[in-house]
Amino acid sequence: LPAGILQGLRLSRSGCVDALYSTCPPPTTHLIALALKRITRKPWIADFRDPWIEDGSHPRPGTFRFRLESRLERRVVTGADALVVTTPYLRDDFLARYPGLPPEKVRVIYNGYDEPDFSDLSGPPTDHFELIHAGLVTEQFRNPFPLLEELAHLLGTGALPRASVRVVFLGGGWWVQSAQFRDRVRVLGLRDVVSVLGRVSNREALQRMASASALFLLQASEDTRSLIPAKTFEYLRIGRPILAV
C-alpha cells in the first residue's frame, strides 16, 4: 500500500495523468487509488472485477476482518466518482447494501474476449469425446467431482463407452495436481479417463478448446453467485457446446 501510493504520486506529478483507475482484486489497489484521489483530486473509477465484500459469506460476518473491510469498502464506494462491475447481480448488490448510492454511478461492463486471439484457430475435434475445463479448479468453489462421480456411474453401467471419453483439466492449479485429487480420481476408477495438464499459453489453450467436443464450466458455491467466470466469454466465442455446473 505505501509503495503503491508513492509510485502513484510520482506518476501523477509527471503531468500526464488525467484520471485514476483501480481494478480489484486485490482490493489494496482501491485503497491506493483512494489515497491518490484525496491527494490529487483527480477523477477516480473503481473497477470491481470480483466483489470485495460478499454479503453473508466473505469475510465471515461478525469477525474483526469483516468490520474493518466493510468500512474500507464503504470508503471506496463513496469516494470513487464511478464504479464498474462485471454483472448486474453485483450492481444490484452494491445498490442494496448502499441505499444512498446513485444508480447511475454503478455501470456494468461484462468481461469479454479479444477477437484477434481467435484468428486462424484450426484443427478437427479429437477422436474421443473430449470435455475440457480451462483454468483454475478449486475444492471450495469449482469442484468437478459431482460430474466425475456421475461419469463414473455412466461408465460403470455401460451407458458410455470408456474408450472414447476423456475429461481434461487444463491449467487447473495446485489442487488438481495434488495427491488428494489423484486419489479421488483413482477411487472412482477414472485414471484412464481424466487428464490433468499444466499451464499453457493462451493461444494453445484456445486451440485445445476449439478442438474439444464440449467445454466444461464450473462455478458452484454461495460466494460465486455474483460472478460470471471470464472464461465463459471465450467459451461462447469458440462456439463449442458448454456444460455448466
Side-chain angles (χ1 to χ4, degrees):
L1 176 64
I5 294 171
L6 289 174
Q7 179 67 1
L9 287 174
R10 291 191 195 102
L11 292 170
S12 66
R13 286 168 182 162
S14 69
C16 300
V17 177
D18 297 315
L20 305 171
Y21 171 80
S22 58
T23 181
C24 159
T28 306
T29 59
H30 288 333
L31 302 180
I32 293 169
L34 175 64
L36 293 173
K37 165 72 176 179
R38 291 175 174 175
I39 296 169
T40 67
R41 303 299 179 184
K42 301 287 186 183
W44 169 30
I45 301 167
D47 175 22
F48 287 83
R49 302 190 321 278
D50 291 341
W52 181 354
I53 303 298
E54 295 170 287
D55 196 21
S57 60
H58 180 81
R60 190 159 50 86
T63 61
F64 172 76
R65 179 177 176 179
F66 178 83
R67 293 192 298 272
L68 174 62
E69 295 197 39
S70 294
R71 270 194 227 106
L72 293 174
E73 185 195 67
R74 178 175 293 276
R75 291 180 185 179
V76 169
V77 170
T78 56
D81 296 283
L83 304 174
V84 173
V85 296
T86 55
T87 63
Y89 189 109
L90 187 50
R91 179 179 184 270
D92 293 343
D93 178 65
F94 271 126
L95 295 176
R97 291 194 294 117
Y98 299 101
L101 188 64
E104 64 273 13
K105 183 175 175 175
V106 190
R107 301 296 182 92
V108 177
I109 301 179
Y110 288 98
N111 287 309
Y113 58 83
D114 294 320
E115 183 60 31
D117 292 346
F118 295 82
S119 63
D120 302 323
L121 288 181
S122 59
T126 63
D127 295 335
H128 300 93
F129 181 88
E130 186 176 72
L131 184 65
I132 286 183
H133 181 277
L136 183 66
V137 176
T138 76
E139 187 175 15
Q140 291 76 27
F141 59 87
R142 286 185 186 152
N143 191 328
F145 277 100
L147 176 121
L148 296 181
E149 290 165 2
E150 182 60 24
L151 177 60
H153 171 73
L154 293 172
L155 293 173
T157 61
L160 288 177
R162 176 178 289 272
S164 63
V165 177
R166 297 292 181 271
V167 179
V168 177
F169 295 98
L170 190 61
W174 72 268
W175 183 57
V176 293
Q177 296 175 348
S178 69
Q180 179 197 40
F181 188 90
R182 289 195 300 271
D183 287 345
R184 291 185 66 180
V185 169
R186 177 183 55 79
V187 169
L188 289 174
L190 296 178
R191 282 193 299 181
D192 58 332
V193 174
V194 174
S195 297
V196 176
L197 306 180
R199 292 174 68 88
V200 298
S201 69
N202 181 250
R203 179 69 183 180
E204 185 177 343
L206 294 176
Q207 184 67 66
R208 287 295 303 264
M209 289 189 283
S211 300
S213 305
L215 301 171
F216 185 22
L217 185 66
L218 278 168
Q219 195 80 335
S221 71
E222 282 300 301
D223 62 347
T224 57
R225 289 172 298 174
S226 61
L227 310 179
I228 301 174
K231 70 170 66 65
T232 308
F233 299 88
E234 290 184 336
Y235 279 12
L236 291 169
R237 172 60 182 84
I238 284 172
R240 306 303 298 158
I242 299 171
L243 173 62
V245 176

